[in-house]
Amino acid sequence: MVELKTNTSIDAMYEAGQVVARALTAVREAAGVGVSLLELDEVAHQVLRDAGAGSPFLGYRPSFAPVPFPAVICASVNDAIVHGIPTGYRLRDGDLVSIDFGAELGGWVGDSAISFVVGTPRPADLHLVETAERALAAGIEAAVVGNRIGDIAHAIGTVCREAGYGIPDGFGSHGIGRRMHEDPPVPNEGRPGRGLPLRHGMALAIEPMLIAGGTDEYHAAADGWTLRTNDGTRAAHAEHTVAITDAGPRILTAR
């Protein structure tokens, strides 16, 4: 069931989204060669404390997970696509990092992700990240009243495929609101003009994930959470929480 949010609820989701935006900005600024993923998790956790917000990630345990998620950020490095558990690993020059983060404030949730390179970037990594951001922008542009879920999926998938990148099979965008994952599911590839019509008050976490090698295949690491590319190539992830309104898409996690 898809819950249509009121304008007041969308404003409340914006407040949660701005906690997310502040945390991701703080993590990006703190990231550097020699900084550990656990230290980045603490940076984000402090933003939550300062805002009086909670984490929808910490303790989250979907059906596939062997243990509850133990952190407030997902920190995925190099060939890790999503769901990376922060560890004592210290970032190295040239690492490609994806940080996914959520916040719960006043009963509403925001969710967003960024990818960036630490230290000296490789041109191929910069292109991968830039394409993820373009795919996200294309998905948001298609998130307008009168379009359908398939229009968002098609916009994202077109950008990814034209650049020669893979899209992890079975993972995509999703509804969001009182919970981190709500209806409707939104694939990251699809046919335009298909699926649920988009209406004022829908809220979506739009999140393209790209695999540099062009394959769609991945596997779960030994921790049961981290998803890694099968071909060992690098991955990037970009995400915003977006409200669909009669005035156009409103990015609730804008930084």
Side-chain angles (χ1 to χ4, degrees):
M1 179 178 176
V2 177
E3 177 188 7
L4 297 180
K5 282 71 176 178
T6 65
N7 292 340
T8 299
S9 296
I10 291 172
D11 288 341
M13 287 187 69
Y14 176 80
E15 295 303 318
Q18 289 310 290
V19 176
V20 177
R22 292 196 298 273
L24 288 176
T25 298
V27 168
R28 177 67 185 89
E29 291 175 350
V33 175
V35 176
S36 77
L37 301 181
L38 283 173
E39 289 170 340
L40 296 182
D41 186 68
E42 176 54 30
V43 169
H45 210 155
Q46 189 58 53
V47 173
L48 288 176
R49 295 188 195 103
D50 292 345
S55 170
F57 288 20
L58 183 62
Y60 179 59
R61 188 178 184 182
S63 58
F64 68 80
V67 296
F69 197 77
V72 302
I73 64 169
C74 294
S76 305
V77 181
N78 296 332
D79 67 328
I81 307 167
V82 287
H83 302 165
I85 295 176
T87 65
Y89 175 83
R90 295 192 177 277
L91 294 171
R92 301 172 183 174
D93 188 52
D95 276 346
L96 173 54
V97 184
S98 297
I99 302 292
D100 193 356
F101 178 79
E104 183 176 4
L105 185 69
W108 297 98
V109 177
D111 187 12
S112 184
I114 57 173
S115 294
F116 56 87
V117 179
V118 173
T120 307
R122 301 189 304 184
D125 289 342
L126 293 179
H127 187 258
L128 180 64
V129 171
E130 186 269 338
T131 305
E133 292 171 347
R134 282 198 297 112
L136 174 59
I140 293 171
E141 185 177 0
V144 296
V145 173
N147 273 357
R148 292 177 176 265
I149 291 293
D151 294 305
I152 298 175
H154 178 71
I156 292 171
T158 297
V159 172
C160 297
R161 295 303 189 189
E162 287 183 349
Y165 295 132
I167 301 170
D169 186 37
F171 279 82
S173 310
H174 54 88
I176 187 171
R178 299 179 192 275
R179 293 174 290 109
M180 181 165 56
H181 293 116
E182 296 184 353
D183 288 334
V186 184
N188 281 336
E189 188 172 30
R191 297 177 63 182
R194 300 295 183 92
L196 190 71
L198 303 180
R199 297 173 59 189
H200 178 91
M202 293 174 67
L204 305 174
I206 299 175
E207 52 175 332
M209 308 162 201
L210 285 64
I211 298 175
T215 177
D216 297 352
E217 299 175 351
Y218 60 88
H219 63 276
D223 62 22
W225 273 99
T226 308
L227 301 183
R228 295 190 179 278
T229 63
N230 276 7
D231 61 7
T233 61
R234 294 186 168 192
H237 179 202
E239 179 182 18
H240 271 309
T241 295
V242 180
I244 296 169
T245 79
D246 290 329
R250 181 181 178 188
I251 302 175
L252 306 180
T253 48
R255 293 179 289 278

